[in-house]
Amino acid sequence: MATMRLARRGNPGVTETDVVMMERAILLARQAAAIGEVPVAAVVYRGEEVIAEAANNRELAHDPLGHAELLAIRDAAEALGAWRLTDCSLAVTLEPCPMCAGAIVNARMGRVLYGARDPKAGACESLYRITSDVRLNHRPEMYRGVLEERCAELLRDFFRRLREAKRKSA
């Protein structure tokens, strides 16, 4: 059964590589914000090797499925020539939504680390617990709160800027 672990300094489940990969996701999320996308990004990796990475592209691609996690998972499966990603980890800046959590389970992702919680759409612990639901056939190891404050600040800044721009244009 999957367990949720809070990523704190010294947490034996979160490695230096995991932190580096989350840093990489944060950089991608910043780039997404710069072009008007919600700053969420994901990195799929195995050991220290990046298999795939992506940022949200819903606005740019006009694609409701353009979530970072889905894009990175699809690209990783293609790169590896296999849809089962049991030996891979996923670092994502925001707690996955129900659609992405379902993709994580279906891809048999081995480990998932996320930064900020999503109280409005989070499907790993905030609203739903899809990734740890014992009725499903796979439950990845889950680690929450990896570089949480930095991930949350990206989102707060992005939406604050959107609100300010909307006020100015009104």
Side-chain angles (χ1 to χ4, degrees):
M1 182 163 137
T3 57
M4 186 64 62
R5 297 178 181 102
L6 180 59
R8 292 190 176 129
R9 175 174 249 160
N11 183 331
V14 177
T15 68
E16 289 299 317
T17 299
D18 295 329
V19 174
V20 167
M21 296 302 174
M22 186 63 78
E23 293 274 0
R24 189 176 182 113
I26 289 170
L27 176 62
L28 290 168
R30 285 184 206 279
Q31 293 169 357
I35 60 170
E37 293 286 349
V38 175
V40 177
V43 178
V44 176
Y45 56 102
R46 185 170 51 193
E48 294 183 7
E49 177 190 8
V50 173
I51 306 299
E53 58 189 14
N56 278 6
N57 75 353
R58 289 191 320 170
E59 300 300 327
L60 189 63
H62 308 289
D63 182 2
L65 304 179
H67 288 213
E69 301 96 308
L70 293 182
L71 300 170
I73 288 169
R74 183 182 56 214
D75 290 350
E78 184 177 332
L80 295 173
W83 63 268
R84 289 179 186 89
L85 303 176
T86 55
D87 60 346
C88 294
S89 297
L90 172 74
V92 60
T93 56
L94 180 66
E95 179 181 359
C97 72
M99 177 175 65
C100 294
I104 287 165
V105 170
N106 281 303
R108 312 296 196 268
M109 187 65 63
R111 299 170 69 241
V112 177
L113 304 95
Y114 68 87
R117 291 181 67 183
D118 187 350
K120 293 183 179 181
C124 295
E125 74 171 322
S126 295
L127 288 181
Y128 307 103
R129 296 179 182 272
I130 292 172
T131 56
S132 61
D133 191 321
V134 297
R135 296 169 295 180
L136 299 175
N137 62 347
H138 178 73
R139 288 170 297 283
E141 290 179 38
M142 295 295 302
Y143 299 88
R144 66 178 165 93
V146 178
L147 302 179
E148 182 174 15
E149 187 52 39
R150 291 180 54 202
C151 294
E153 188 61 33
L154 272 173
L155 290 157
R156 281 191 297 265
D157 287 349
F158 178 79
F159 287 111
R160 182 173 36 247
R161 286 193 305 272
L162 277 184
R163 287 188 301 273
E164 288 171 5
K166 189 174 182 178
R167 267 194 298 269
K168 289 178 183 179
S169 69

